[in-house]
């Protein structure tokens, strides 16, 4: 009986304690709700701001947090939902114009110090090379031809990047982007949006197999500006194999813009490949021309074949006056089939042959897309497509 009496007493006490806890909890919740409804949010913010310095002292939080909260509180009467600027870039209409940064650059910055003091010099030109480690000595010679006025980017198709730093001091100051088995046009479409490279007056997009003993980048820029070229390339050594006659270097002239030979392809002497034409191995674009060319590069056509015949679309007519070959600064095309070694043997074809077949396929696809796009455009205007508007030659 004694044990039973103590058990019943303990049970009653437990129930009483549970009821007290429940009542306390309900009271606390109710009090909290009433308190929240009774005090304006501004009062709570002021109380928080009053207590926050003590918390910051204890937690070592940055002082910028106080400033941000104070600014937010100061402008609490501004309805930011009313901000709508249609002229802003798409997706940024809700931002005030003064905070929009629609363009960028490839300038390297520090992780410390005053951001406004990061750059001792802002490069005016950009040069990119699509490279493999086997051609490092050739790239070393090329890089040394470009002054500190140039931002240099290496696109690595073989995945080897760290070895460059071990071998070349300049490698530590250039930008390395590595994605295996891709082409320069694949890289360009994904890493060289016109808004990213908008700070550069001229953009060089070069292959890795170019001899530059007779080339000076600053003098090249001088010639391009002097002759008003929007798209250009250095002349090619005429003693070597040249695919297109117009790209051969001529002596005793600074620049040429048309071929001096009567070729079967020259039914129109002012059209590619007899004028308004450069090859895709070593093109140089003005900022405005690149903005157009970038949009013409197709995402899936990675080799760029056919682009050279369409580049004239990206300059104001007459295009043959704005596109040309710089003869005073010339290069040697070494014809190293490095991309072929990145291919894969399939259907009895060597890796190199497979890559070359893909190039021809892309060329035909690109021309067809341009032709179809033109027809659709003129159809929308309800006019007939001009007979000489196609890229076909």
């Amino acid at each position: 009986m004694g044990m039973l009496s103590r058990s019943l007493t303990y049970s009653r006490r437990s129930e009483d304690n549970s009821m007290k806890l429940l009542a306390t909890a309900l009271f606390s919740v109710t009090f909290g709700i009433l308190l929240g409804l009774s005090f304006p949010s501004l009062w709570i913010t002021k109380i928080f701001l009053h207590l926050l310095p003590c918390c910051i002292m204890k937690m070592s939080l940055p002082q910028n947090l106080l400033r941000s909260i104070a600014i937010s509180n100061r402008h609490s009467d501004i309805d930011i939902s009313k901000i709508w600027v249609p002229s802003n870039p798409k997706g940024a209409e809700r931002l005030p114009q003064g905070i929009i940064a629609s363009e960028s650059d490839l300038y390297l910055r520090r992780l410390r110090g005053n951001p406004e003091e990061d750059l001792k010099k802002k490069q005016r030109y950009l040069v990119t090379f699509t490279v493999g480690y086997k051609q490092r000595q050739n790239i070393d010679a090329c890089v040394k031809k470009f002054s500190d006025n140039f931002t240099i980017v290496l696109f690595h198709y073989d995945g080897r990047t760290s070895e460059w730093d071990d071998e070349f001091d300049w490698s530590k100051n250039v930008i390395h982007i590595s994605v295996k088995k891709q082409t320069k046009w694949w890289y360009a479409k994904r890493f060289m949006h016109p808004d990213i490279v908008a700070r550069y007056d001229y953009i060089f997009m070069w292959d890795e197999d170019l001899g530059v003993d007779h080339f000076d980048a600053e003098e090249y820029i001088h010639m391009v500006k002097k002759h008003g070229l929007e798209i250009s390339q250095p002349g090619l050594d005429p003693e070597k194999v040249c695919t297109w006659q117009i790209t051969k270097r001529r002596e005793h002239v600074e620049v040429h813009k048309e071929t001096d030979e009567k070729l079967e392809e020259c039914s129109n002497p002012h059209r590619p490949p007899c004028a308004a034409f450069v090859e895709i191995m070593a093109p140089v674009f003005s900022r405005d021309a690149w903005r157009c060319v970038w949009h013409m590069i197709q995402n899936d056509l990675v080799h760029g074949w056919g682009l050279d015949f369409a580049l004239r679309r990206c300059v104001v007519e007459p295009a043959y006056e704005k596109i040309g070959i710089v003869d005073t600064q010339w290069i040697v095309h070494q014809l190293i089939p490095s991309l072929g070694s990145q291919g894969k043997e399939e259907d009895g074809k060597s890796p190199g042959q497979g890559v070359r077949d893909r190039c021809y396929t892309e060329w035909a696809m690109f021309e067809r897309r341009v032709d179809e796009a033109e027809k659709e455009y003129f159809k929308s205007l309800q006019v007939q497509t001009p007979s000489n508007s196609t890229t076909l030659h």
Side-chain angles (χ1 to χ4, degrees), residues 244 265 271-280 296 304-313 363 366-367 390-393:
W244 308 105
E265 295 92 344
R271 290 291 176 86
C274 306
F277 182 87
V278 301
E279 288 192 81
I280 58 174
M296 191 165 56
W305 281 38
L307 270 177
D308 38 15
F309 281 84
L311 292 177
R312 64 182 178 84
R313 300 169 180 274
W363 191 354
F366 178 75
E367 288 188 328
T390 178
T391 59
L392 296 173
H393 56 282

Side-chain angles (χ1 to χ4, degrees), residues 47-57 61 65-66 69:
I47 292 171
F48 178 65
L49 287 173
H50 179 73
L51 297 175
L52 189 59
C54 298
C55 299
I56 290 178
M57 291 294 290
L61 292 177
L65 178 57
L66 274 175
I69 294 174

Side-chain angles (χ1 to χ4, degrees), residues 188-386:
K189 190 63 174 179
R190 287 149 183 85
F191 297 104
M192 295 177 62
H193 187 280
D195 288 343
I196 298 296
V197 299
R199 305 295 174 90
Y200 303 104
D201 295 341
Y202 292 95
I203 298 161
F204 292 61
M205 284 194 60
W206 282 21
D207 289 353
E208 62 181 342
D209 59 341
L210 304 175
V212 291
D213 289 345
H214 306 281
F215 179 83
D216 179 272
E218 291 287 349
E219 184 60 26
Y220 185 92
I221 292 291
H222 172 71
M223 284 294 157
V224 165
K225 292 179 177 179
K226 178 179 178 180
H227 292 274
L229 299 180
E230 295 290 317
I231 301 176
S232 62
Q233 75 162 76
L236 299 180
D237 184 352
E239 300 301 319
K240 304 292 184 180
V241 175
C242 293
T243 304
W244 308 105
Q245 294 296 323
I246 190 174
T247 62
K248 287 184 178 180
R249 178 211 175 208
R250 296 183 192 172
E251 295 183 357
H252 311 305
V253 295
E254 293 180 338
V255 164
H256 71 273
K257 302 175 181 179
E258 300 176 359
T259 185
D260 58 356
E261 299 185 42
K262 302 300 181 182
L263 305 177
E264 295 180 1
E265 295 92 344
C266 292
S267 57
N268 187 332
H270 289 163
R271 290 291 176 86
C274 306
F277 182 87
V278 301
E279 288 192 81
I280 58 174
M281 73 176 75
V284 179
F285 304 98
S286 71
R287 180 193 297 108
D288 291 341
W290 177 247
R291 183 168 289 277
C292 171
V293 172
W294 184 90
H295 284 90
M296 191 165 56
I297 299 170
Q298 306 291 287
N299 286 313
D300 57 334
L301 306 184
V302 298
H303 291 288
W305 281 38
L307 270 177
D308 38 15
F309 281 84
L311 292 177
R312 64 182 178 84
R313 300 169 180 274
C314 288
V315 299
V316 177
E317 293 287 358
Y320 63 86
E321 290 291 341
K322 310 293 194 309
I323 301 176
I325 313 299
V326 177
D327 297 288
T328 58
Q329 304 301 313
W330 51 284
I331 59 176
V332 178
H333 189 199
Q334 298 167 342
L335 298 172
I336 299 173
S338 52
L339 275 180
S341 64
Q342 299 296 306
K344 182 179 180 182
E345 185 172 348
E346 289 182 343
D347 301 327
K349 294 181 180 179
S350 67
Q353 185 59 47
V355 169
R356 193 164 188 81
D357 288 350
R358 165 79 180 238
C359 291
Y360 280 110
T361 298
E362 288 192 6
W363 191 354
M365 291 175 67
F366 178 75
E367 288 188 328
R368 185 165 59 250
R369 290 180 188 181
V370 172
D371 187 51
E372 291 173 355
E374 280 184 343
K375 290 178 180 178
E376 286 298 319
Y377 172 77
F378 287 107
K379 182 180 179 181
S380 70
L381 300 179
Q382 297 182 338
V383 298
Q384 186 176 1
T385 306

